[in-house]
Structure formats: structure tokens, C-alpha cells
Amino acid sequence: MLAIGHRPVAELEQALGLNFQDRGLLRQALTHRSYVHEHSGDARESYERLEFLGDVVARLVVSEELYHRLPDCDEGGLTRRWTTLLSQQGLAAVAQRLGLADYVRLGYGSATTGGRASQSVLGDVMESVIAAIYLDAGYAVVRRFILRVMAAEIEATCHPDWRPHNPKTDLQELLQANGQAPPTYRVVEMAGPPHQRQFTVEVVGDAGVLGAGTGRSKAAAETEAASAALALLGPGQA
């Protein structure tokens, strides 16, 4: 029985509501570079190329849907909505809901340092899975998949009272409401080649380090760090 990690592929296909013709694409879509480095060493076996394609496919599907559903929304409003929907945080939440974290193939080091729960990893995996579906079954199928698994989020962004969720702003407001200084962010690690940088950032408040995050840019890593801090602190606990 073909498996991803210790879980059967058929189990994941059922969770996704799909049947892959080429299960190798799905396997690749869930293979992190750290796993490749510890095994074959062939970078082409990781999900990074699929992630690149999935980002473009997801943008097209979501942008098209918002364009038709919000005929009175200007370019700026549409951009803010798809940016929120397809942020690492937004895609990671969908990946978590689908249970993708259980199937990601990570190297030992990444697995033992929380890589399976990382918004950066899960956001990337969601994009790579989208690309795998697109390559395996075509645009119509991947479009239905995206609109199905992101239905609640898309519906929320189309609500007249919608406003973008900004973890950095929310964290600052939470701390200031409790009489504390605004948080600061510091880069603690920068890894990967120039075209594929991964930043690790810590957010610091009066009580010390409040959270950490990783991302393909400093801004994305700061957002994840702020989200981690909010999850730890919770309303009224700062």
C-alpha cells in the first residue's frame, strides 16, 4: 500500500475528496526539502517547484471568484481580500483543517523542532497540493477543490463588514490595552539560497520573547510570529 510517511495515500485522497491518477505528484507535494536532504539529496523531489505553480493557480482561482462575486469592489479591495485568503496564515489554516500536517514528509530535525505545525510549511504545502491537483486533473477540478475547501473563508471576505485580519496590529493593540509597550521584531535566522530565503523572526514584548515565526520574507515571518504570540497570550492575558 502506497503511503506518505506512515499514512496511506488513499486515506488522504478521501480527506481531499479526490482520486489521483499520478499519486507520485501528491507524494512530492508533501515532501519538504529537509526530508530530501536526509534521503536522496535531489532537490527536484521536494515540493518547492509545485509550490511555485500552486501559488499562481490559487491566485487565478480566488481572484476570478472575487471578481465575479464583488462587482462593485475596486482593485485595492479585491487585492486585500485575495492577499488575506492566500497568505501563509490563511492557507495554513485550510491545510490544518484538511489534516495535511499528518502527511508532510519532514527531515528528522524539522520534525522534532515543530516543522509540522509551522504556518510557513503548511502554507507552502497547501500551494503544492493545489499544483499537484492542477497537473493531475486540470483547471476545472482544481478550481472546484479550491472553492470547496476555502468556501467559508471566501464567503467571509465577501461580507460587507469584512476587514483584513492583521496579527501584527492585533498584537500591538492587545499589548497596549494592557499597558505594555508595542512589540518589536528581530530576525534570528536566515537560511536557504537567495532565491528561496527562509526567515525566522522573534517578536519581543515587555515580558520577553512572545512568539516566533518563519516565512519566505521578513514580513511573512513577523506575521507568523505575531500569530504565535496571540495564540499564546489570548485575549486579556498579555
Side-chain angles (χ1 to χ4, degrees):
M1 178 182 294
L2 184 62
I4 299 174
H6 301 292
R7 308 292 291 274
V9 170
E11 183 179 293
L12 177 56
E13 287 181 317
Q14 183 176 6
L16 298 177
L18 299 166
N19 289 301
F20 274 76
Q21 298 179 62
D22 181 0
R23 286 179 169 176
L25 281 170
L26 182 57
R27 187 179 182 88
Q28 181 184 356
L30 293 148
T31 302
H32 189 259
R33 73 168 76 173
S34 62
Y35 183 92
V36 172
H37 289 166
E38 291 183 11
H39 292 78
S40 71
D42 187 345
R44 293 172 298 178
E45 294 181 8
S46 80
Y47 60 55
E48 291 177 0
R49 280 172 52 84
L50 288 173
E51 172 200 338
F52 160 78
L53 178 60
D55 173 59
V56 177
V57 173
R59 287 191 192 192
L60 175 59
V61 171
V62 171
S63 298
E64 180 187 12
E65 182 71 6
L66 293 175
Y67 178 85
H68 289 299
R69 290 187 60 168
L70 298 169
D72 298 324
C73 189
D74 63 16
E75 178 187 4
L78 293 172
T79 298
R80 286 190 293 274
R81 285 167 169 80
W82 78 249
T83 300
T84 297
L85 287 166
L86 300 180
S87 66
Q88 284 192 326
Q89 181 184 9
L91 288 172
V94 177
Q96 191 71 52
R97 189 164 66 238
L98 291 172
L100 295 184
D102 294 336
Y103 298 89
V104 179
R105 298 199 300 171
L106 294 165
Y108 178 78
S110 295
T112 55
T113 55
R116 198 172 300 281
S118 165
Q119 286 187 351
S120 176
V121 171
L122 291 178
D124 291 348
V125 164
M126 191 67 220
E127 289 177 338
S128 62
V129 167
I130 285 171
I133 296 169
Y134 170 71
L135 292 173
D136 189 72
Y139 180 75
V141 172
V142 77
R143 182 177 186 276
R144 287 196 297 271
F145 171 79
I146 292 171
L147 297 182
R148 171 168 57 84
V149 300
M150 299 189 70
E153 288 82 2
I154 292 173
E155 184 65 34
T157 63
C158 290
H159 193 277
D161 297 330
W162 177 85
R163 71 178 184 89
H165 171 58
N166 189 325
K168 292 178 66 176
T169 299
D170 293 344
L171 177 60
Q172 180 169 321
E173 291 177 351
L174 176 60
L175 293 177
Q176 290 182 323
N178 285 273
Q180 299 187 40
T184 58
Y185 297 84
R186 63 190 184 199
V187 176
V188 295
E189 184 180 1
M190 186 172 65
H195 68 283
Q196 195 72 34
R197 284 282 189 248
Q198 281 283 344
F199 295 87
T200 300
V201 169
E202 289 180 341
V203 56
V204 182
D206 290 351
V209 176
L210 303 176
T214 59
R216 287 171 286 177
S217 68
K218 285 187 283 187
E222 288 173 359
T223 298
E224 182 171 339
S227 295
L230 286 168
L232 176 66
L233 295 173
Q237 295 182 36

